[in-house]
Amino acid sequence: MITLGIETSCDETAVAVVEDGFTVRSNLIASQVHLHERFGGVVPEVAARAHVEAINPLMEEALATAGVGFGDLDTVAVTVGPGLVGALLVGMAAAKAVALATGAALVGVNHLEGHVWANFLVHGPPEPPYVALIVSGGHTMLVHMTEAHHHEVLGQTLDDAAGEAFDKVARLLGLGFPGGPALDRMAREGDPAAIRFPRAMEGSGDLDFSLSGLKTAVLRHVKQERAAGRDLHLPDLAASFQEAIVDVQVQKTLEAADRTGVGTVLLGGGVVANSRLRERLQAEGEAAGLTVWFPPLDLCTDNAAMIACLGAARAARGDRSMFDIGADPQLRLTP
Ligand code: KG4
Ligand code: ZN
């Protein structure tokens, strides 16, 4: 069973070929980071145009790398949301065209569920129940999965997503875009206890997050230091900011596991590439008797292998999308 995965929800054009649901035969990404860098964030129209230019050659290359042709495809899995509408539509048009021309099954999937399924590319088919922490540029949420494809949202951010906070603070500090990897690298040289930033909603009794106040606290600190004529110590600032985010994520994830009684926690999304988050959740999760899974770095950030893996599982249980399926920028996880 060969599945073609297509992912164009944001600023990466990604195509992958996955065999029997879990074996990655190719996993390619045409990154647009260089196009958005000078704007300090993703520009939707620029993203959509770049997807249009990249998608066809990337599909050809992904098939060639995998050693298969269009005629070998059983399923075409594509992200239908959440994401930027113009960007999503490019991947969906490509997926529909391939499915229509080849007779392969068309399966539209949720990008956030895909981030969770990246774990199964490493650990094999799911064996719920789980708690999943999904942290990306657009989302920060805790989800309880009692069975595959069944999600109960336990809590989520009330304002900014964690990746958004990393990107905005990095921009403030002149570290470029995307900010997460740059802040992560800089934080390794700094002292996480140097500056005490607020941990909003830590111990709030629920499983929601709030990150916009942290960004404001960093801005206030920068202004104060400059007004006092002091140089910013960027590594300490990066490490202290990162620690404030990681503290709350760890506390809430362990609490979610405790409340639901699950033994395994899955991490997914671009921010899971953060070295401090991985290190602390692994250590503190294991100390609490939990198994903690996270994908390798290249499967944390947006990719199409996770979309193909999820799409193959949905196709196997008979899910199909009609050709009139539309993009859904606000798509929610299905209960
Ligand atoms: O999942 P993803 O690739 O795209 C979305 O679905 O949003 O996540 C991208 C986000 C960006 O905000 C980026 O700064 C963040 O993930 N990110 C990181 C790291 N690598 C990527 N954040 C913190 N530390 C990292 N090492
Ligand atoms: Zn993502």
Side-chain angles (χ1 to χ4, degrees), residues 9-12 111-112 115 135-139 162-164 166-167 178-181 184 242 269-275 300-302:
S9 66
C10 192
D11 61 340
E12 316 277 21
H111 180 81
L112 300 176
H115 274 305
V135 263
S136 69
H139 295 82
E164 194 180 349
F166 271 100
D167 293 340
D184 186 354
Q242 179 176 269
V271 180
V272 175
N274 184 267
S275 58
C300 286
T301 41
D302 289 350

Side-chain angles (χ1 to χ4, degrees), residues 173-324:
L173 302 179
L175 297 178
F177 171 83
L183 272 169
D184 186 354
R185 274 193 302 278
M186 183 147 282
R188 283 177 212 158
E189 314 297 322
D191 172 8
I195 309 154
R196 178 77 193 174
F197 287 122
R199 271 87 172 139
M201 305 196 69
E202 190 181 36
S204 60
D206 56 31
L207 296 169
D208 288 331
F209 302 84
S210 169
L211 287 142
S212 65
L214 174 59
K215 176 191 63 193
T216 313
V218 174
L219 179 62
R220 202 178 312 119
H221 173 84
V222 168
K223 281 186 177 159
Q224 269 168 7
E225 293 299 289
R226 285 192 180 138
R230 287 190 288 267
D231 286 339
L232 289 174
H233 191 282
L234 287 182
D236 280 356
L237 188 48
S240 301
F241 159 76
Q242 179 176 269
E243 203 69 3
I245 291 198
V246 170
D247 268 354
V248 183
Q249 310 260 317
V250 171
Q251 183 252 313
K252 301 251 172 183
T253 305
L254 298 188
E255 191 170 332
D258 188 45
R259 282 191 195 184
T260 54
V262 302
T264 304
V265 166
L266 309 181
L267 312 180
V271 180
V272 175
N274 184 267
S275 58
R276 187 70 175 155
L277 184 65
R278 293 164 85 88
E279 174 187 293
R280 286 205 37 207
L281 264 172
Q282 175 134 52
E284 291 168 51
E286 281 174 8
L290 297 167
T291 303
V292 179
W293 285 358
F294 39 75
L297 294 182
D298 61 331
L299 296 178
C300 286
T301 41
D302 289 350
N303 66 87
M306 68 186 193
I307 300 303
C309 178
L310 168 59
R314 284 200 170 259
R317 62 169 213 166
D319 288 358
R320 297 287 183 277
S321 297
M322 298 290 124
F323 282 99
D324 61 357

